[in-house]
Amino acid sequence: MEIKINENPFGSYLPSGIERFDSQMRFVAEIDKMTHILRQTVLLDQSRRENDAEHSWHIAVMAQVLQEHFVENADLGRAVRMLTVHDLIEIYAGDTFAYDSVGNLSKEERERKSADKLFAMLPSDQGNEIRGLWEEFDSRSTPDSRFAACMDVLQPFFHNTLTQGHTWVEHSVKKSSVLRRMDIIKKWMPAIWPWVEANIRRGIEMGWLKEDES
Protein backbone atom coordinates (compact mmCIF):
# COMPACT_ATOMS: atom_id res chain seq x y z
CA MET A 1 0.00 0.00 0.00
CA GLU A 2 1.35 3.39 -0.97
CA ILE A 3 1.89 5.77 1.94
CA LYS A 4 0.88 9.35 1.23
CA ILE A 5 2.89 12.05 2.93
CA ASN A 6 1.00 15.02 4.29
CA GLU A 7 2.42 17.84 2.20
CA ASN A 8 1.40 20.56 4.64
CA PRO A 9 1.81 19.34 8.24
CA PHE A 10 2.42 22.93 9.25
CA GLY A 11 -0.98 24.12 8.06
CA SER A 12 -2.67 23.98 11.47
CA TYR A 13 0.30 25.39 13.38
CA LEU A 14 -0.50 28.19 15.80
CA PRO A 15 2.19 30.86 15.23
CA SER A 16 4.12 31.99 18.28
CA GLY A 17 4.90 35.43 16.95
CA ILE A 18 8.61 34.60 17.28
CA GLU A 19 9.92 34.33 13.72
CA ARG A 20 12.99 32.27 14.59
CA PHE A 21 11.06 29.76 16.67
CA ASP A 22 8.35 29.39 14.04
CA SER A 23 10.88 28.66 11.27
CA GLN A 24 12.59 26.11 13.51
CA MET A 25 9.29 24.36 14.20
CA ARG A 26 8.43 24.34 10.50
CA PHE A 27 11.68 22.49 9.89
CA VAL A 28 10.94 20.08 12.76
CA ALA A 29 7.54 19.31 11.23
CA GLU A 30 9.05 18.84 7.77
CA ILE A 31 11.65 16.28 8.84
CA ASP A 32 8.89 14.02 10.16
CA LYS A 33 8.66 12.97 6.50
CA MET A 34 11.78 10.88 7.07
CA THR A 35 9.52 8.25 8.60
CA HIS A 36 8.01 7.72 5.12
CA ILE A 37 11.26 7.40 3.16
CA LEU A 38 11.82 3.67 2.78
CA ARG A 39 15.24 2.11 2.31
CA GLN A 40 16.14 -1.20 0.67
CA THR A 41 17.29 -2.63 4.01
CA VAL A 42 14.64 -4.63 5.83
CA LEU A 43 14.04 -4.90 9.55
CA LEU A 44 15.62 -7.93 11.17
CA ASP A 45 12.24 -9.67 11.40
CA GLN A 46 11.89 -9.03 7.64
CA SER A 47 8.36 -7.73 8.13
CA ARG A 48 8.99 -4.55 6.14
CA ARG A 49 11.64 -2.17 4.85
CA GLU A 50 13.15 0.22 7.36
CA ASN A 51 12.67 3.95 6.97
CA ASP A 52 15.28 6.70 7.06
CA ALA A 53 14.41 7.77 10.59
CA GLU A 54 14.91 4.24 11.91
CA HIS A 55 18.20 3.91 10.05
CA SER A 56 19.50 7.22 11.42
CA TRP A 57 18.55 6.32 14.98
CA HIS A 58 20.13 2.89 14.68
CA ILE A 59 23.51 4.08 13.43
CA ALA A 60 23.60 6.95 15.94
CA VAL A 61 23.35 4.39 18.74
CA MET A 62 25.81 2.07 17.00
CA ALA A 63 28.37 4.89 17.01
CA GLN A 64 28.11 5.15 20.77
CA VAL A 65 28.70 1.41 21.13
CA LEU A 66 31.41 0.80 18.53
CA GLN A 67 33.71 3.83 18.71
CA GLU A 68 36.44 1.81 20.44
CA HIS A 69 37.06 -0.13 17.20
CA PHE A 70 37.76 3.00 15.14
CA VAL A 71 41.47 3.73 14.72
CA GLU A 72 41.30 7.53 14.53
CA ASN A 73 40.44 9.98 17.28
CA ALA A 74 36.89 10.92 16.37
CA ASP A 75 34.61 13.28 18.27
CA LEU A 76 31.68 11.02 19.13
CA GLY A 77 29.27 13.89 19.64
CA ARG A 78 29.96 15.39 16.22
CA ALA A 79 29.77 11.99 14.55
CA VAL A 80 26.39 11.31 16.16
CA ARG A 81 25.15 14.70 15.02
CA MET A 82 26.17 13.85 11.47
CA LEU A 83 24.39 10.52 11.65
CA THR A 84 21.13 12.11 12.77
CA VAL A 85 21.11 14.60 9.89
CA HIS A 86 22.97 12.82 7.06
CA ASP A 87 19.81 11.50 5.38
CA LEU A 88 17.50 14.48 5.93
CA ILE A 89 17.92 15.51 2.30
CA GLU A 90 16.29 12.24 1.23
CA ILE A 91 12.94 13.79 2.20
CA TYR A 92 12.96 15.29 -1.30
CA ALA A 93 15.77 13.40 -3.05
CA GLY A 94 14.61 9.93 -2.04
CA ASP A 95 16.84 7.06 -0.95
CA THR A 96 19.40 5.92 -3.50
CA PHE A 97 20.33 2.27 -3.11
CA ALA A 98 24.06 1.88 -2.60
CA TYR A 99 24.36 -0.64 -5.46
CA ASP A 100 22.14 1.22 -7.94
CA SER A 101 24.64 2.36 -10.57
CA VAL A 102 22.04 4.30 -12.55
CA GLY A 103 20.46 6.05 -9.56
CA ASN A 104 23.84 7.07 -8.23
CA LEU A 105 24.57 9.04 -11.41
CA SER A 106 21.99 11.68 -10.45
CA LYS A 107 22.32 11.33 -6.67
CA GLU A 108 24.63 14.29 -6.09
CA GLU A 109 22.48 16.76 -8.03
CA ARG A 110 19.21 15.55 -6.48
CA GLU A 111 20.62 15.78 -2.98
CA ARG A 112 22.13 19.24 -3.53
CA LYS A 113 18.76 20.61 -4.65
CA SER A 114 17.11 18.93 -1.69
CA ALA A 115 19.62 20.50 0.70
CA ASP A 116 19.03 23.94 -0.82
CA LYS A 117 15.31 23.60 -0.16
CA LEU A 118 15.36 21.92 3.24
CA PHE A 119 18.05 23.84 5.10
CA ALA A 120 16.67 27.16 3.87
CA MET A 121 13.72 26.57 6.21
CA LEU A 122 15.93 27.18 9.24
CA PRO A 123 17.43 30.44 10.46
CA SER A 124 20.55 30.91 8.32
CA ASP A 125 23.02 30.19 11.12
CA GLN A 126 21.43 26.84 11.93
CA GLY A 127 20.75 25.96 8.30
CA ASN A 128 24.39 26.56 7.41
CA GLU A 129 25.60 24.59 10.44
CA ILE A 130 23.49 21.50 9.71
CA ARG A 131 24.24 21.67 6.00
CA GLY A 132 27.92 21.80 6.91
CA LEU A 133 27.57 18.58 8.91
CA TRP A 134 25.82 16.91 5.98
CA GLU A 135 28.53 18.04 3.54
CA GLU A 136 31.30 16.93 5.90
CA PHE A 137 29.68 13.51 6.26
CA ASP A 138 29.59 13.07 2.49
CA SER A 139 33.19 14.21 2.09
CA ARG A 140 34.69 11.63 4.47
CA SER A 141 37.46 14.20 4.87
CA THR A 142 37.68 14.22 8.69
CA PRO A 143 37.97 11.53 11.38
CA ASP A 144 34.45 12.39 12.57
CA SER A 145 32.96 11.94 9.10
CA ARG A 146 34.90 8.74 8.42
CA PHE A 147 33.67 7.22 11.67
CA ALA A 148 30.11 8.24 10.83
CA ALA A 149 30.49 6.75 7.34
CA CYS A 150 31.72 3.48 8.85
CA MET A 151 28.48 3.22 10.81
CA ASP A 152 26.43 4.04 7.73
CA VAL A 153 27.90 1.14 5.72
CA LEU A 154 28.18 -1.30 8.61
CA GLN A 155 24.51 -1.27 9.61
CA PRO A 156 22.99 -2.47 6.30
CA PHE A 157 25.82 -4.99 5.90
CA PHE A 158 24.99 -6.39 9.35
CA HIS A 159 21.30 -6.53 8.48
CA ASN A 160 22.07 -8.55 5.36
CA THR A 161 24.03 -11.07 7.42
CA LEU A 162 20.98 -11.57 9.66
CA THR A 163 18.28 -11.60 6.95
CA GLN A 164 19.70 -14.24 4.60
CA GLY A 165 21.25 -11.54 2.45
CA HIS A 166 17.85 -10.03 1.73
CA THR A 167 18.86 -6.98 -0.29
CA TRP A 168 21.91 -8.69 -1.78
CA VAL A 169 19.68 -11.44 -3.15
CA GLU A 170 16.92 -9.10 -4.27
CA HIS A 171 19.34 -6.99 -6.32
CA SER A 172 21.81 -9.71 -7.39
CA VAL A 173 24.69 -7.91 -5.68
CA LYS A 174 28.20 -9.08 -6.49
CA LYS A 175 31.01 -9.77 -4.05
CA SER A 176 33.24 -7.07 -5.57
CA SER A 177 30.56 -4.41 -5.02
CA VAL A 178 30.29 -5.28 -1.34
CA LEU A 179 34.07 -5.29 -0.94
CA ARG A 180 34.31 -1.82 -2.49
CA ARG A 181 31.57 -0.45 -0.26
CA MET A 182 33.08 -1.98 2.87
CA ASP A 183 36.63 -0.83 2.12
CA ILE A 184 36.19 2.06 4.58
CA ILE A 185 35.86 -0.54 7.34
CA LYS A 186 39.08 -2.22 6.21
CA LYS A 187 40.91 1.11 6.45
CA TRP A 188 39.46 2.62 9.60
CA MET A 189 38.12 -0.32 11.64
CA PRO A 190 40.68 -3.01 10.69
CA ALA A 191 40.11 -5.09 13.82
CA ILE A 192 36.66 -6.09 12.57
CA TRP A 193 37.68 -6.61 8.93
CA PRO A 194 38.20 -10.38 9.37
CA TRP A 195 34.58 -10.58 10.56
CA VAL A 196 33.45 -8.67 7.47
CA GLU A 197 35.42 -11.00 5.21
CA ALA A 198 34.01 -14.07 6.95
CA ASN A 199 30.47 -12.81 6.41
CA ILE A 200 31.17 -12.12 2.74
CA ARG A 201 32.52 -15.67 2.33
CA ARG A 202 29.41 -17.02 4.02
CA GLY A 203 27.27 -14.89 1.71
CA ILE A 204 28.93 -16.54 -1.29
CA GLU A 205 28.59 -20.02 0.19
CA MET A 206 24.91 -19.49 0.98
CA GLY A 207 24.16 -18.02 -2.44
CA TRP A 208 23.28 -14.58 -1.06
CA LEU A 209 26.10 -12.88 -2.98
CA LYS A 210 27.20 -13.48 -6.53
CA GLU A 211 30.78 -14.29 -7.42
CA ASP A 212 32.31 -12.02 -10.03
CA GLU A 213 32.90 -13.50 -13.45
CA SER A 214 36.56 -14.34 -14.03
Side-chain angles (χ1 to χ4, degrees):
M1 183 179 70
E2 182 180 357
I3 298 176
K4 294 183 178 180
I5 299 176
N6 180 358
E7 293 298 333
N8 188 24
F10 206 67
S12 60
Y13 177 75
L14 179 66
S16 69
I18 304 170
E19 182 178 355
R20 183 178 176 87
F21 176 76
D22 288 342
S23 64
Q24 290 166 332
M25 297 309 288
R26 180 178 180 82
F27 175 82
V28 169
E30 190 74 354
I31 64 173
D32 179 77
K33 293 177 181 178
M34 281 191 77
T35 60
H36 299 293
I37 307 301
L38 297 180
R39 295 167 47 80
Q40 293 299 318
T41 303
V42 293
L43 301 181
L44 294 184
D45 67 4
Q46 302 187 54
S47 61
R48 62 172 174 81
R49 290 158 62 187
E50 72 172 0
N51 63 51
D52 267 354
E54 292 166 330
H55 168 69
S56 297
W57 157 80
H58 208 178
I59 58 180
V61 177
M62 282 176 58
Q64 297 172 66
V65 175
L66 299 178
Q67 186 184 17
E68 66 191 68
H69 304 289
F70 186 68
V71 296
E72 293 187 287
N73 184 24
D75 183 323
L76 177 61
R78 289 193 79 253
V80 168
R81 288 190 68 196
M82 286 181 200
L83 292 171
T84 60
V85 302
H86 80 291
D87 274 345
L88 290 179
I89 44 80
E90 292 187 359
I91 289 171
Y92 308 130
D95 176 64
T96 304
F97 183 46
Y99 303 110
D100 180 358
S101 58
V102 175
N104 275 284
L105 293 175
S106 63
K107 179 177 183 285
E108 183 176 352
E109 178 65 13
R110 285 184 285 108
E111 292 189 349
R112 182 190 63 77
K113 290 180 178 179
S114 178
D116 290 344
K117 179 179 179 180
L118 181 64
F119 299 131
M121 292 182 178
L122 283 166
S124 61
D125 61 320
Q126 289 186 323
N128 291 337
E129 181 182 10
I130 295 178
R131 182 173 187 143
L133 288 169
W134 167 68
E135 291 175 346
E136 183 180 342
F137 172 85
D138 264 8
S139 75
R140 298 187 180 182
S141 60
T142 64
D144 301 346
S145 62
R146 286 190 285 270
F147 177 50
C150 283
M151 298 300 98
D152 191 42
V153 303
L154 188 61
Q155 187 252 10
F157 178 86
F158 185 47
H159 274 228
N160 269 301
T161 70
L162 298 180
T163 58
Q164 296 77 54
H166 185 277
T167 55
W168 293 339
V169 172
E170 186 175 19
H171 297 277
S172 300
V173 177
K174 293 182 178 180
K175 172 185 174 181
S176 61
S177 297
V178 177
L179 285 170
R180 280 194 300 271
R181 180 161 174 78
M182 299 303 291
D183 187 60
I184 190 173
I185 301 295
K186 185 177 183 179
K187 290 179 179 178
W188 304 112
M189 301 182 75
I192 68 170
W193 182 248
W195 171 83
V196 171
E197 287 188 306
N199 274 289
I200 291 174
R201 287 195 299 271
R202 184 177 66 151
I204 293 292
E205 292 166 1
M206 299 297 291
W208 305 339
L209 281 171
K210 291 187 173 295
E211 282 277 19
D212 294 87
E213 297 177 2
S214 57

